[in-house]
Structures are given as C-alpha cells and as structure tokens.
Amino acid sequence: MPADNHGTPSGEMPRAVRVAARMRRFVDFVGAWGCWLIVPVVVITCIDVIGRKIGYEDEETGRIYRLQGWLADNLGSVFQSTILQELEWHFHAGLFALVLGYGVVYNTHVRIDLIRDNLQFRKKAWLEFGGLTFFMIPYCAIVIYFAFDYTYASFMIKETSASTVGLSHRWIIKSVFIFGMLVAVISGIAAWLQVATILWGPKELRFPLMTLDWPETDAKIEGKERVRLEDDYGLRLSDPAAPTDPTLAAAAGKGEAKPAAPPA
C-alpha cells in the first residue's frame, strides 16, 4: 500500500485529507504552468526598454530613429510602445493571479510571524483555521463576485484600452484574474481541510502539510529548509564563539579547556 512522506498508508487517510491532496495537485498544475508567464513578461519588457533606448540621430535632419520604430514599421504594430507596455501589465497580472494559490500550497507567501513563531503547534493550527475561515476564503469569494460582474460588463460593451492604440478585448485579462482567484479559493479550502483534520482528527495522524509544519519536523521553518551561514573561519552561527585568548584556543583545539591564568 503506498505511503506518504510521513509513512502513513494513504488508504487510511481521512477523506478530507485525500480531497485536499487532489485540490493541491490541481493548484500545483495551474501554478506550475502559470509561472511560465514570467518569460513573456521579461521578453516584452526587454524589447520595450531596449527598443526605446537604441537608435541614432540623423545629422542632416536632426530626426532620431529608434529601434522600436523600425520594429513597429517592419514587423507590426504590436511593437508600438503603448501595446508593449499594456502587454507587460496583462502578462504580469496573469502571472500574479495564477500563482496566488500556488503560493498557498507551498507556504511561500509573506507572513508576519512575530507572534505566530512563538506559539505551540495547535495554537498555530487554530490561528490558521481562523485566518482561512474568516479572512482568506471569504475575501477571495467577495472579490470573485464583484469581478465577475465587472468582467461581464466589459465583455458586453466590448471594452478596449483607454488609449486609441492600445489593446482590445479587456475582458480576457479580467477573466484570467477571476480564474486565478478561483484557484486561490481552492488552495484555501485545501489548506482548511488539512487544518480541520489536525484540530479534530487523530493526533497521531501524519500527512504532508501545506501551511504548517509538524512539531517534530525541525529541519524546516514555515516550509523552507533551514540555512546555516558560515563566516570566514568556517564557524556556523549555532557554534559557540571562538575563544580569543591564545591559551584557551589551543586547549579548545585539543578538546580540553584550561582556565585562564589570573591577572598578575
């Protein structure tokens, strides 16, 4: 029988945990593909910036010829500055929307942990439960409700860019935003099912968590591997400070500490 990362047979998992795992796989799939939108964001930004900076000035007429103008005249109007900048905004908005849920299931969103880090595991679970129940999921649902009406109106009036040379079909990017928020809701529900299982399920049950770490797992901090920094002398931050007295340093190197001589 297959087992999860903590050695618990998957066949014995509660239904809520199995449903959360399926939701996580869907969110993971969307986020993994959504991350690729960073490529057009970078490429379009580079074309826009480089095209506006590279050029030459005709000494006779004083006219400045830019690379971007040549691209727009010879390769199409899509290389016009306004269209490029709006494409940047649209792809960036799509990237942001599609990875919101991805960040939840991998616990990579920014947290303010001044209080949370010092709480016991079950108190962290209760805090997570309250945040998901009363804040994240309801907020995303409200945003989806109003965004749907906003997108439908955009589709009906055939909304275009405020610029005469901008992009048309503004409802497309608004629809992508709604889809991204739906994925975020799914990720929140998946995390909620896990936290509910922690609070009301068997205490000995173990399964891969999304927004928490099991108390016995000390190799991670909020889902991220601990990093040990080393200074120029090869000492880890967790090691005791090196003795400054030469006599103590020599004794420490031999594995025995000798008391320092009293001052004369």
Side-chain angles (χ1 to χ4, degrees):
M1 184 179 296
D4 64 12
N5 294 341
H6 295 274
T8 304
S10 59
E12 298 178 4
M13 284 291 172
R15 181 183 298 272
V17 176
R18 288 185 274 119
V19 172
R22 295 191 187 99
M23 289 181 170
R24 176 174 185 164
R25 286 194 292 269
F26 172 74
V27 175
D28 194 358
F29 175 81
V30 174
W33 283 100
C35 289
W36 284 99
L37 290 179
I38 190 63
V39 176
V41 170
V42 173
V43 172
I44 293 172
T45 302
C46 290
I47 293 175
D48 184 31
V49 173
I50 295 175
R52 286 188 285 112
K53 298 300 181 182
I54 295 181
Y56 72 94
E57 181 178 358
D58 191 332
E59 296 181 356
E60 296 182 358
T61 62
R63 182 179 177 182
I64 299 177
Y65 295 91
R66 300 289 184 189
L67 174 62
Q68 190 173 60
W70 183 91
L71 292 173
D73 293 339
N74 293 274
L75 300 182
S77 60
V78 69
F79 288 95
Q80 292 179 357
S81 179
T82 300
I83 293 181
L84 288 177
Q85 291 179 15
E86 290 192 0
L87 283 174
E88 294 171 26
W89 305 337
H90 285 205
F91 278 112
H92 187 272
L95 172 65
F96 172 80
L98 296 180
V99 300
L100 278 175
Y102 192 76
V104 172
V105 298
Y106 283 100
N107 198 32
T108 55
H109 285 297
V110 176
R111 290 180 179 270
I112 307 300
D113 294 330
L114 296 177
I115 298 177
R116 186 176 183 269
D117 277 349
N118 299 318
L119 297 178
Q120 296 178 352
F121 176 71
R122 287 190 65 84
K123 291 182 179 180
K124 287 183 180 180
W126 277 110
L127 186 63
E128 200 75 10
F129 181 81
L132 292 168
T133 304
F134 301 108
F135 293 96
M136 178 189 170
I137 297 176
Y139 174 79
C140 290
I142 293 173
V143 171
I144 292 171
Y145 174 80
F146 287 101
F148 179 82
D149 184 64
Y150 190 46
T151 303
Y152 179 74
S154 176
F155 174 78
M156 294 302 296
I157 66 175
K158 296 180 173 57
E159 182 186 10
T160 61
S161 170
S163 173
T164 57
V165 294
L167 296 174
S168 60
H169 302 87
R170 296 292 292 271
W171 63 269
I172 296 178
I173 185 57
K174 296 178 181 180
S175 300
V176 173
F177 176 75
I178 292 178
F179 178 73
M181 295 301 295
L182 284 171
V183 176
V185 170
I186 293 174
S187 68
I189 295 174
W192 186 93
L193 290 172
Q194 284 196 346
V195 175
T197 304
I198 291 173
L199 294 174
W200 292 288
K203 293 185 179 181
E204 68 278 3
L205 184 65
R206 291 293 183 270
F207 50 89
L209 295 178
M210 299 180 196
T211 58
L212 293 168
D213 292 318
W214 292 110
E216 64 272 13
T217 305
D218 58 357
K220 294 183 178 181
I221 301 178
E222 299 299 341
K224 304 158 188 71
E225 297 291 340
R226 293 180 184 269
V227 178
R228 292 185 178 275
L229 303 177
E230 295 185 0
D231 58 19
D232 296 336
Y233 300 96
L235 296 175
R236 293 193 298 270
L237 297 180
S238 57
D239 290 341
T244 56
D245 187 274
T247 305
L248 293 178
K254 297 178 181 180
E256 56 181 3
K258 295 181 180 180

